[in-house]
Amino acid sequence: MDLELDGNAALVTASSAGLGKASATALAAEGANVTICGRDEERLAAAKSDVDEAGDGEVLAVRADVTDPDDVDRLVEETVEAFGGLDHLVTSAGGPPSTTFLETTDQQWYRAYDQLVMSAVWTIEASHPHLLSSEAGSVVCITSRTVEEVLDGLLLSNAVRRGLSGLVQTVSREFAPEIRVNAVMPGLIETDRVRELVETGVERGDYENYEAGLAEMAANIPVDRIGQPRELGEVVAVLSSERASYVNGAEVPIDGGSIRG
């Protein structure tokens, strides 16, 4: 299916690795010009090379911290300057640390809120006038299945990401019909973070080997495996495109049908 994204301008935040990078790669593969960003220059350069190889569009790499509103403003400005506008925004952010209520500090709460909610608020706010000028304006926010299901040890994600869900639902109504706003809710996907968790489990003796660890993690997933970043990125590309022109305010689970609590 041709998503008709050739020449469109897309900005994907926190995209030097993980699900942000997978989303940028999928958009680039469909011919979009894509801006990626991250804080680590070396990792960002490597990601730019990978995304460049995915398609024929231009790839702009900008060093930026999405928890800094001045960096976010500059990121959007450089994107618009490079591509002449902005058609699609994808917001992403790394996961906050695993913690429990009694051991979580006030500073961790503030940091998680800036990381997961305010980074999206600032990016959407800065992007809004440019998306409004586009004939194909769209926003996709990458959240987590913790929006629907509380996971042990992930207090900050459980509590704070629900604010992002409320943001998506609200602005999808406020911005329509000119700009569509949706979210994707990834479940277990084989990102660097998941690989690290499995490898740590192998070292502790929890799993016989890496493959056994993945299999145990997938025990409650009906499709009998964990996902690949590409599988999320491609859904993000579809939601960004006119092929999803009647999809607005949706929160799409990408979790293999995981059993939800």
Side-chain angles (χ1 to χ4, degrees):
M1 179 186 294
D2 180 6
L3 299 185
E4 299 182 3
L5 292 172
D6 283 350
N8 282 196
L11 165 60
V12 186
T13 62
S15 43
S16 61
L19 301 180
K21 180 183 174 184
S23 300
T25 301
L27 289 163
E30 292 293 332
N33 299 319
V34 182
T35 296
I36 63 172
C37 76
R39 292 176 296 178
D40 186 305
E41 290 185 353
E42 186 174 341
R43 177 180 283 192
L44 187 60
K48 181 181 186 303
S49 178
D50 290 342
V51 178
D52 260 327
E53 293 179 0
D56 297 326
E58 296 180 47
V59 179
L60 174 67
V62 179
R63 186 182 181 281
D65 179 352
V66 294
T67 65
D68 181 338
D70 291 334
D71 269 16
V72 170
D73 286 344
R74 176 176 55 80
L75 174 64
V76 173
E77 288 170 5
E78 290 191 25
T79 299
V80 172
E81 183 178 348
F83 302 144
L86 179 60
D87 303 296
H88 311 290
L89 171 64
V90 180
T91 71
S92 178
S98 176
T99 184
T100 62
F101 182 79
L102 293 178
E103 67 186 11
T104 303
T105 67
D106 287 355
Q107 191 57 42
Q108 285 176 310
W109 279 107
Y110 292 130
R111 172 68 180 172
Y113 193 76
D114 279 353
Q115 181 181 13
L116 300 178
V117 179
M118 291 310 300
S119 64
V121 169
W122 291 322
T123 313
I124 293 171
E125 186 176 43
S127 301
H128 180 264
H130 308 291
L131 296 171
L132 194 60
S133 297
S134 168
E135 295 183 356
S138 72
V139 178
V140 179
C141 296
I142 300 175
T143 62
S144 168
R145 67 173 176 158
T146 58
V147 168
E148 289 189 338
E149 176 188 11
V150 171
L151 299 178
D152 291 343
L154 296 181
L155 168 74
L156 293 170
S157 186
N158 293 336
V160 177
R161 287 190 193 274
R162 296 187 181 208
L164 181 55
S165 178
L167 173 68
V168 168
Q169 291 297 314
T170 303
V171 298
S172 70
R173 298 171 70 88
E174 291 184 2
F175 291 179
E178 293 84 3
I179 303 169
R180 294 181 301 106
V181 183
N182 295 290
V184 291
M185 300 183 295
L188 276 171
I189 295 181
E190 196 175 0
T191 59
D192 289 343
R193 192 180 190 194
V194 168
R195 282 190 286 272
E196 183 180 344
L197 287 173
V198 176
E199 288 165 358
T200 299
V202 172
E203 291 172 3
R204 285 198 309 258
D206 297 342
Y207 313 124
E208 182 178 348
N209 52 44
Y210 184 81
E211 290 69 25
L214 288 183
E216 185 165 329
M217 292 181 99
N220 291 323
I221 301 176
V223 300
D224 201 28
R225 64 178 177 83
I226 71 171
Q228 295 301 309
R230 170 190 59 78
E231 295 175 297
L232 177 134
E234 290 174 354
V235 175
V236 168
V238 171
L239 288 174
S240 299
S241 77
E242 284 299 299
R243 294 290 180 261
S245 58
Y246 200 52
V247 181
N248 185 49
E251 294 181 277
V252 182
I254 305 176
D255 61 6
S258 295
I259 298 171
R260 301 176 182 88

